[in-house]
Amino acid sequence: MRKKQFKTESKRILDLMINSIYTNKEIFLRELISNASDAMDKLYFVASAEGGKGFDRSDFEIRIEVDQENRSLSIIDNGIGMSQSELESNLGTIARSGTLDFRNDNKAELERERTITSDYPEDEAVDVDADNQQEIDIIGQFGVGFYSSFMVSKTITVISRAYGSETTCMWYSEGADGYTVTELENDQRNEHGTTVTLILRDDIGEEDYSTYLDEYTLKRIVKKYSDYIRYPIRMSVTRTRPIENEDADSDTPPEYESYTEIETLNSMVPLWRRNKNELSEEDYQQFYQDKFHDYEPSLTYTHFNAEGLVSFSGIMYIPGRAPYGYYSKEYEKGLQLYSNGVLIMDRCADLLPDCFSFVKGLVDSPDLSLNISREILQQSSQLQLIAKNLDRRIKNELMNLQENDREKYEEFFKNFGLQIKFGIYNSFGADSEKLQDLLLYHSLKEDKMVTLAEYQESMPEDQKEIYYAAGGSISRIRQLPQAELILDNGYDILALTEDIDEFAMKMIRQYKEKEIKSVSDSDLDLETDIEKEVSKEQAKLHEDLFTALKDALDDKVKEVRLSTRLKSHPVWITSDGPLSLEMEKVLSAMPMDGQPKAERVLEINGNHPVFQVLVNLAEADQDKLSMYAQLLYNQALLIEGLPIEDPVSFANDICELMI
Ligand code: ADP
């Protein structure tokens, strides 16, 4: 019998397979099972299109058979099968996919089967019932899957009979040097379908090929990749049972016998393809805990089923707490990605934006173009469309939670709020629009967490800006001198207590046309025109005093000036320019060179009795004035929570005042 050569490009890929480019060789089983499932889909489709008696889905099954002695593993299906020429063309050439041809040949009918197709704008996808979903699912798209079996096999035999044919043919190959196709005289199959038999390689070193003869390994692999194949995957398994022996008295230990039983290994119907109203909260939570290894239920979930330019279904969960190591570099985000119920990727990072990296779940789509053996996804535009859609779904889900179950939402925010804030900061504000409504801050007035929208709704009519104050804790922020006037005016202040907060706020800049301002900003618009005029006068009147104070403090401050917003406190320290003192504190805690410094400004309360003392000293005692300047400056630093530069002389100055 003449051996035929693989086509050149096929031979090259085959060489790669044989010398194994994959670390996880076990996927060969997924590929063979997917092919079997495709073959049954095709037969189901062809037979029903012919209008004959057709088939029921329940007529089909996939069998796995193991023969330990011969080291053989067989995957058997009763699908559409292959004729001699199909064996030749489908298995003789890599990158020629019979499935793709089938798809193209039957395009019109397949399209009609779909309820909704491409009349939707780019990333729009409409939700549909699982029942309306396209019936014909075809997994394989590009033809290299079959060859992955060479990673584990010495020889591969394919015995197949095409549907409607009387002859059975055999394809046989020992690897790269070619294959044979022959018609079998003694029919080894008495019905349509295909049997793929692998003779496994001998174990060498760390490579344990015998594991693919092991019942438990096979069960595990099927469960991992092929659990949702819609046809039963059956295998005969060995079990033991005690032998019934009526004569034995109760002291004799029972004897056991082994027997075999056919077991179905896969659960077949993916949860996400079922109708929402068939599923209970328990179903969803059980699935979450099993699949994503959490011992607590998720906080909330969303189950979707969308059709449009790209169709996809899936479930996403918001975990009830931050996953282990979540805020570390090691954490890997991602969703499981399926193509028609077959797992392609355990953690597809491209499906989740960083700001929502805490989301767990899976997506299943029949429309993905996959490259070599479904292992690495091409940067496909479909994937990007799905990702965009999921992004929006997550946001909506969170907004729903915020509106309908505030307690749960606050729990969510406690766990993952930091990620949302980083999302705003890392996008340099580009994602502000998307994320700002998810934020919660502590309101000083209401003494509870509020959203920016809620803050804005409760603003008095005369309030022009949104105010926040940054500091280590809520109680400290409450005591900031610069907060007093704003609170007394009846305005609320958002207390920002996390390092990232002010950086993120600076990126948001404004919310629904209201400027967001720090209470420390120098340009707060709080005074009436008359008040402004008065303070301008007063500042001018005491110009010399401010110059003297500035000289005393030298380059410690950029300026000393009259404050327009201190009430009961005599002084406070603030900064000019975009960097606040709080931000300086955060930055100085980071390991980096050339720490940026805020431009410090000392403000003095013109209505405080201390001010009059200073005015008097300016004329009477310049030395004392200089000492008071140091004292007030250090006091301001302490209030602000900043270290004083020379604590010893500060202490000495105070003593001097006492004696
Ligand atoms: P694909 O990605 O298309 O599944 P494969 O290399 O795995 O690529 O298979 C090549 C082609 O061989 C398939 O497209 C299909 O037409 C055919 N084929 C493979 N396995 C079977 C099977 N069990 N029954 C019928 N046809 C099969």
Side-chain angles (χ1 to χ4, degrees), residues 31-32 34-40 42 75-77 79-82 86-87 89-91 93-102 139-148 158 160 193-196 373-374:
E31 299 298 318
L32 294 181
S34 291
N35 282 347
S37 171
D38 285 354
M40 300 190 284
K42 286 176 196 168
I75 314 302
I76 304 156
D77 70 64
I80 198 163
M82 283 176 276
E86 283 168 333
L87 279 169
S89 56
N90 291 343
L91 305 183
T93 320
I94 293 183
R96 185 204 141 79
S97 170
T99 297
L100 207 61
D101 290 351
F102 179 86
I139 298 161
Q141 300 211 343
F142 292 96
V144 283
F146 171 78
Y147 290 91
S148 59
V158 181
S160 193
T194 304
T195 301
V196 178
S373 195
R374 310 180 177 101

Side-chain angles (χ1 to χ4, degrees), residues 349-365:
D350 294 340
L351 284 172
L352 280 182
D354 282 340
C355 57
F356 296 145
S357 61
F358 46 81
V359 173
K360 301 272 175 213
L362 56 93
V363 176
D364 188 355
S365 171

